[in-house]
Amino acid sequence: MGRQPSAKPTSFDIAYLAGVSQPTVSRALRGSKSVSAATRANIQRIAQELNYTVDKNASSLRSQRTHTLALLFFEDPNPDESMINPFFLSMLGSITRECARRGYDLLISFQQMHNDWHVTYQDSHRSDGIILLGYGDYQLYLTKLEHLVEMGTKFVRWGSVSEDGIGLTVGSDNVGAGEQAGAHLVEVGRRRIAFLGDASDHAPEFQDRYDGLCRAMRAAGVEPDPALQRDAVSSEDSGYAAARSLIEGGQSFDAVFAASDLIAIGAMRALTEAGLRLPQDVAIIGFDDIPAASQTTPTLTTVMQDMKGAGTLLVDALLARIDDRPVEERILPARLIRRQSTAV
């Protein structure tokens, strides 16, 4: 006689109907790649037909897991603490959706880099693993990451994929993106290209974008001028101040590559106030493709990062770490979005 389904469907009911073991059902519903794609799809279909939902309390007791992931934000210094970088909001949406798809809750927290957040989250056991977004000063960030590694914390970070070997990183191809921006500016006839952003080991993503720009310029026979680089963090005020410094420095320039859209938007205001026409006198490119980039005057040419892919890869990589499965760092391609600010 066949198994009679329970009044409330259980994972054992699904296992019986799918012809697999109950542990296989549990792994499949967590999205584990140790279960074949066909079997996972069949199990998920049966679970949906039965209106099955995971009993997180029971599951947590069995596995000693919380079935919760923590997302920690670190913002660049900004006097207006009510403002959140729109780029991070896009990333938040993709991570939240992927967590929900995988049956995990998401705990979101804003942190100051100088605080002992790395100790707090390790000791609290509030989550099974941590996703880190942003970092402010990367050199200070590194000391915190080293502590997480020493404590055996499961974490993954978004940022510059490097060879420092500290934790697992998912990030965009920032060098390639910088090359795209540089090649486009050279293509539209610009030779004196300024860069706004902290191009140093304190901000490796910005450094990579600057390196890509310089590589593209040299490939076209144009030598970058270090005097046209100005430090800036990702905010409109910082972009405005950097552009003002560039203008007041007296160096001639006919294009600007800003390390973020917020920097670019602030720079556009400074350039316009100085009587410079965009793009006739100065072409400008940003980075991130935030919603405001398509609403500026002129609309802003920018580099778009793969936010949907980023959220999927960050969650997938963290769950692999939690399950002690092998996982590699991933670099996502970025794409140039051409708009009016670089139109010929």
Side-chain angles (χ1 to χ4, degrees), residues 142-191:
L142 281 179
T143 63
K144 314 288 189 177
L145 295 181
E146 289 167 353
H147 181 85
L148 291 179
V149 171
E150 291 172 3
M151 298 299 292
T153 304
K154 310 290 187 180
F155 72 93
V156 62
R157 55 188 167 111
W158 171 263
S160 176
V161 179
S162 62
E163 297 179 356
D164 58 29
I166 303 176
L168 179 67
T169 308
V170 174
S172 289
D173 180 5
N174 288 289
V175 175
E179 287 185 282
Q180 290 184 61
H184 176 55
L185 289 171
V186 171
E187 178 189 349
V188 297
R190 308 307 164 121
R191 296 294 182 270

Side-chain angles (χ1 to χ4, degrees), residues 251-315:
Q251 297 283 340
S252 64
F253 61 97
D254 57 13
V256 169
F257 176 30
S260 77
D261 287 344
L262 291 177
I263 293 173
I265 292 169
M268 291 172 77
R269 180 161 56 91
L271 294 168
T272 301
E273 286 179 2
L276 295 168
R277 298 170 301 162
L278 309 177
Q280 294 92 333
D281 298 325
V282 180
I284 185 165
I285 295 180
F287 203 104
D288 291 334
D289 194 30
I290 64 175
S294 62
Q295 299 166 11
T296 57
T297 303
T299 54
L300 179 63
T301 295
T302 186
V303 177
M304 182 176 71
Q305 303 188 74
D306 182 2
M307 292 298 92
K308 182 178 179 181
T312 299
L313 287 177
L314 284 166
V315 174

Side-chain angles (χ1 to χ4, degrees), residues 31-51:
S32 173
K33 298 295 177 62
S34 65
V35 181
S36 71
T39 300
R40 287 202 311 272
N42 187 43
I43 289 171
Q44 288 165 356
R45 177 186 60 79
I46 294 170
Q48 188 173 15
E49 290 175 354
L50 294 178
N51 291 321

Side-chain angles (χ1 to χ4, degrees), residues 84-246:
I84 300 173
N85 188 330
F87 167 74
F88 287 139
L89 292 178
S90 298
M91 182 78 83
L92 172 60
S94 66
I95 291 171
T96 302
R97 283 189 290 271
E98 185 61 18
C99 284
R101 193 182 73 81
R102 303 293 286 270
Y104 274 75
D105 291 326
L106 185 65
L107 175 65
I108 301 170
S109 178
F110 284 85
Q111 298 290 326
Q112 297 294 321
M113 186 54 66
H114 60 266
N115 292 341
D116 289 333
W117 56 267
H118 56 304
V119 176
T120 302
Y121 270 82
Q122 174 61 31
D123 292 344
S124 68
H125 304 292
R126 284 186 283 179
S127 67
D128 299 325
I130 302 172
I131 297 172
L132 303 172
L133 290 185
Y135 44 77
D137 185 330
Y138 190 73
Q139 295 305 306
L140 176 59
Y141 182 59
L142 281 179
T143 63
K144 314 288 189 177
L145 295 181
E146 289 167 353
H147 181 85
L148 291 179
V149 171
E150 291 172 3
M151 298 299 292
T153 304
K154 310 290 187 180
F155 72 93
V156 62
R157 55 188 167 111
W158 171 263
S160 176
V161 179
S162 62
E163 297 179 356
D164 58 29
I166 303 176
L168 179 67
T169 308
V170 174
S172 289
D173 180 5
N174 288 289
V175 175
E179 287 185 282
Q180 290 184 61
H184 176 55
L185 289 171
V186 171
E187 178 189 349
V188 297
R190 308 307 164 121
R191 296 294 182 270
R192 298 283 295 167
I193 304 173
F195 181 82
L196 306 184
D198 184 359
S200 74
D201 59 2
H202 293 277
E205 288 175 286
F206 287 7
Q207 177 69 66
D208 287 347
R209 293 166 195 175
Y210 183 54
D211 288 346
L213 168 67
C214 294
R215 185 181 298 181
M217 292 178 68
R218 292 190 177 107
V222 180
E223 186 60 28
D225 184 353
L228 296 182
Q229 186 272 326
R230 292 291 189 277
D231 288 347
V233 298
S234 194
S235 75
E236 291 186 33
D237 287 346
S238 187
Y240 179 87
R244 288 295 309 169
S245 170
L246 192 64

